[in-house]
């Protein structure tokens, strides 16, 4: 599992150089994302816009977030790209009649139905990062997003987010899911860090409390799909196991991602100088359980390196494809757990994941990452053709270098200067 190449070893000058160069390559790759109206094009492998595809709110948000981080790093031209994203989110992607954000718009600006918690969580994240970057309109966008999220998606009685409304916000789907709640945790922590409003951190903690219970009850494999009264549906989509957003079974990559978010939350509430004691220990213990369960089930599970997309409830692989985001989250979480625990095993996993990314996922010709591989680590595109966005990959090149208690949008410019560059 270990590698001796210094560029993969956490904390070395070679590693920082590797992360910085890879981050800069990603930022350079994605610059052609804005449509004229400010929404985000899906990009091809060479970074060219695919103008015949729908343009999604969640992708626009992710790209706005990434270039907000680039703005904070002083990247030339990044601020203008953020401004384009804000214009799209306050304009063509926003529903002026019913409020909230459309899931997608078509190339001829027809609005696709439904309003999704998943997309609205990313509006919160994008607006928080853009506000931190000092971009005009970001404050107003964040205030809009906070209002819609709290009045339409946040169920304060239970402490979780509902999932999907119709466009008019008159009919709520009975499906409940953890994917939107996971990104809600990320968004809530970012909003709290940027605005200082601790009620958002409290919401993140309430979601996490439910997840810890469900995970422990299922041998640290997290249920993803639920009924309207939050009863787990473990066989949901058994007939469609590779669904793009609602796959069957356990998703090890999400177990890894939750481990990082839980640790980040605990550090921000209970941590002192990067150390978790007392009440914070239960969160760190849970994060370690989640990470270790995920890599035990999913890494090299079929005789080849990589993290399989999904497993059944006994940990057997179901969908063997490797998605780029799972390895990105592996890097993020291994780095975070190493910083907090000091355990060599997490440094080893960090190096293993980075070497895999460099070997199989990085497109060294064009500067981005391939988003989907098969079980033989060959590039395929059955679920994720081209390059939808840069969010997971860019964060994986930045999170290992910053304070693990902070969201990816650190609360101060000083945090950027000390932790990211």
């Amino acid at each position: 599992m270990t590698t001796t190449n210094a560029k993969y070893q956490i904390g070395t000058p070679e590693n920082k150089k590797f992360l910085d160069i890879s981050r800069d390559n990603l930022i350079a790759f994605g610059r052609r994302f804005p449509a004229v109206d400010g929404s985000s094009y899906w990009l091809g492998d060479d970074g060219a816009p695919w103008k015949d595809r729908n343009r999604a709110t969640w992708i626009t948000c992710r790209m706005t977030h990434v270039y907000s981080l680039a703005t904070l790093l002083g990247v030339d031209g990044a601020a203008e790209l953020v401004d384009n994203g804000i214009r799209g989110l306050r304009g063509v992607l926003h529903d002026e009649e019913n409020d909230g954000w459309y899931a997608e718009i078509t190339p001829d600006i027809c609005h696709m139905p439904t309003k999704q918690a998943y997309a609205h969580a990313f509006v919160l994240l994008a607006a928080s990062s853009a506000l931190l970057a000092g971009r005009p309109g970001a404050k107003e966008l964040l205030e809009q997003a906070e209002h819609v999220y709290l009045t339409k998606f946040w169920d304060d009685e239970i402490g979780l987010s509902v999932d999907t409304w119709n466009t008019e916000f008159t009919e709520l789907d009975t499906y409940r899911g953890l994917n939107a709640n996971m990104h809600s945790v990320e968004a809530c922590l970012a909003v709290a860090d940027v605005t200082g409003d601790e009620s958002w951190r409290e919401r993140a903690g309430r979601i996490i409390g439910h997840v810890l219970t469900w995970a422990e009850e299922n041998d640290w494999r997290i249920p993803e799909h639920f009924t309207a009264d939050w009863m787990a549906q473990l066989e949901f989509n058994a007939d469609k196991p590779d669904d793009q957003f609602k796959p069957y079974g356990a998703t090890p990559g999400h177990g890894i991602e939750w481990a990082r978010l839980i640790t980040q939350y605990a550090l921000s509430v209970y941590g002192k100088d990067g150390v978790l004691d007392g009440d914070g220990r239960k969160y760190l213990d849970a994060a370690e359980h989640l990470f270790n369960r995920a890599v035990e089930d999913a890494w090299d599970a079929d005789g080849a390196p990589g993290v399989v997309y999904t497993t059944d409830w006994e940990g057997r692989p179901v969908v063997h494809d490797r998605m780029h985001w799972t390895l990105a989250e592996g890097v993020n979480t291994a780095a975070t757990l190493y910083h907090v625990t000091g355990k060599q095993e997490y440094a080893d996993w960090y190096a293993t994941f980075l070497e895999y990314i460099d070997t199989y996922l990085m497109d060294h010709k064009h500067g981005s990452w391939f988003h989907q591989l098969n079980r033989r680590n060959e590039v395929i595109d059955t679920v994720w053709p081209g390059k939808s966005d840069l969010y997971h990959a860019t964060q994986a090149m930045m999170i290992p270098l910053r304070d693990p208690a902070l969201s990816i949008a650190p609360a101060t410019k000083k945090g950027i200067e000390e932790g990211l560059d």
Side-chain angles (χ1 to χ4, degrees):
M1 188 175 73
T2 59
T3 174
T4 58
N5 193 323
K7 75 175 180 177
Y8 307 130
Q9 300 292 330
I10 194 165
T12 64
E14 294 88 348
N15 181 238
K16 185 181 185 305
K17 180 180 179 180
F18 176 65
L19 295 179
D20 286 347
I21 291 173
S22 300
R23 176 202 66 203
D24 292 347
N25 287 341
L26 288 161
I27 291 170
F29 171 88
R31 287 178 175 271
R32 288 181 280 176
F33 78 86
V36 173
D37 57 26
S39 59
S40 180
Y41 288 122
W42 194 292
L43 302 179
D45 287 333
D46 60 355
W50 287 357
K51 297 183 178 182
D52 60 340
R53 292 182 70 101
N54 290 353
R55 303 195 292 278
T57 291
W58 64 273
I59 293 177
T60 304
C61 291
R62 287 182 171 191
M63 296 300 271
T64 302
H65 167 67
V66 164
Y67 284 94
S68 294
L69 299 178
T71 300
L72 287 162
L73 291 168
V75 175
D76 288 343
E80 291 77 10
L81 297 176
V82 176
D83 295 346
N84 272 288
I86 292 173
R87 181 161 51 85
L89 290 168
R90 298 191 69 198
V92 69
L93 292 167
H94 183 256
D95 183 345
E96 295 297 325
E97 181 178 356
N98 303 294
D99 211 352
W101 284 266
Y102 298 110
E104 298 179 342
I105 57 173
T106 65
D108 56 355
I109 319 299
C110 291
H111 304 122
M112 300 301 289
T114 76
K115 300 283 176 60
Q116 305 163 347
Y118 182 89
H120 285 71
F122 277 109
V123 179
L124 287 169
L125 180 65
S128 297
S129 301
L131 179 59
L132 186 68
R135 302 317 304 159
K139 182 176 184 291
E140 294 78 7
L141 177 62
L142 181 56
E143 290 171 350
Q144 276 185 306
E146 288 178 305
H147 173 74
V148 176
Y149 184 86
L150 291 179
T151 59
K152 302 300 184 183
F153 293 101
W154 179 249
D155 183 344
D156 195 55
E157 182 176 351
I158 189 171
L160 290 160
S161 171
V162 300
D163 202 86
T164 304
W165 287 91
N166 66 343
T167 302
E168 295 76 24
F169 284 121
T170 57
E171 297 179 15
L172 178 61
D173 196 289
T174 58
Y175 173 85
R176 302 287 183 269
L178 276 199
N179 196 10
N181 276 277
M182 181 179 70
H183 288 292
S184 290
V185 167
E186 178 185 38
C188 287
L189 294 175
V191 174
D193 279 355
V194 171
T195 67
D197 183 348
E198 289 301 309
S199 69
W200 288 95
R201 201 178 315 277
E202 291 167 9
R203 293 182 187 98
R206 294 182 70 187
I207 296 172
I208 287 169
H210 289 289
V211 172
L212 295 184
T213 298
W214 289 321
E216 190 167 7
E217 290 174 348
N218 285 276
D219 201 16
W220 301 103
R221 299 182 183 100
I222 303 173
E224 296 277 348
H225 314 297
F226 295 80
T227 63
D229 56 357
W230 288 99
M231 297 295 294
Q233 294 183 289
L234 298 184
E235 296 306 306
F236 186 89
N237 268 349
D239 59 342
K240 192 180 179 183
D242 61 347
D243 185 271
Q244 189 178 35
F245 291 107
K246 299 176 181 177
Y248 161 73
T251 307
H254 281 167
I256 291 170
E257 194 167 0
W258 273 111
R260 191 252 306 175
L261 291 169
I262 289 166
T263 305
Q264 178 187 318
Y265 164 78
L267 284 168
S268 70
V269 175
Y270 303 103
K272 183 177 181 181
D273 299 325
V275 177
L276 277 172
D277 292 314
D279 291 340
R281 284 295 313 181
K282 73 173 183 179
Y283 294 98
L284 181 57
D285 290 344
E288 291 194 78
H289 278 302
L290 286 168
F291 180 88
N292 292 332
R293 165 55 66 203
V295 295
E296 180 182 341
D297 284 352
W299 178 260
D300 199 12
D302 49 15
V307 175
V308 298
Y309 183 32
T310 61
T311 71
D312 65 17
W313 298 107
E314 300 300 321
R316 294 181 292 261
V318 175
V319 177
H320 291 254
D321 294 349
R322 286 84 160 110
M323 306 300 179
H324 88 292
W325 64 265
T326 65
L327 277 300
E329 292 305 325
V331 165
N332 293 338
T333 305
T336 299
L337 290 176
Y338 173 71
H339 287 315
V340 177
T341 69
K343 294 179 181 178
Q344 183 62 37
E345 64 189 272
Y346 298 121
D348 292 343
W349 277 116
Y350 173 85
T352 297
F353 292 147
L354 265 188
E355 183 174 37
Y356 176 93
I357 288 167
D358 192 22
T359 303
Y360 296 107
L361 288 175
M362 285 184 174
D363 180 348
H364 293 286
K365 178 179 179 182
H366 297 298
S368 185
W369 294 16
F370 300 112
H371 281 203
Q372 182 186 4
L373 309 177
N374 64 16
R375 66 189 298 169
R376 295 181 295 278
N377 287 308
E378 299 164 333
V379 178
I380 58 173
D381 61 4
T382 58
V383 176
W384 292 106
K387 313 295 172 63
S388 58
D389 65 273
L390 307 177
Y391 156 81
H392 282 290
T394 303
Q395 290 195 153
M397 301 297 97
M398 299 175 79
I399 285 177
L401 299 179
R402 56 99 165 139
D403 182 343
L406 295 176
S407 69
I408 186 59
T412 63
K413 184 66 160 61
K414 183 172 181 283
I416 284 284
E417 292 167 347
E418 293 184 354
L420 291 180
D421 203 14

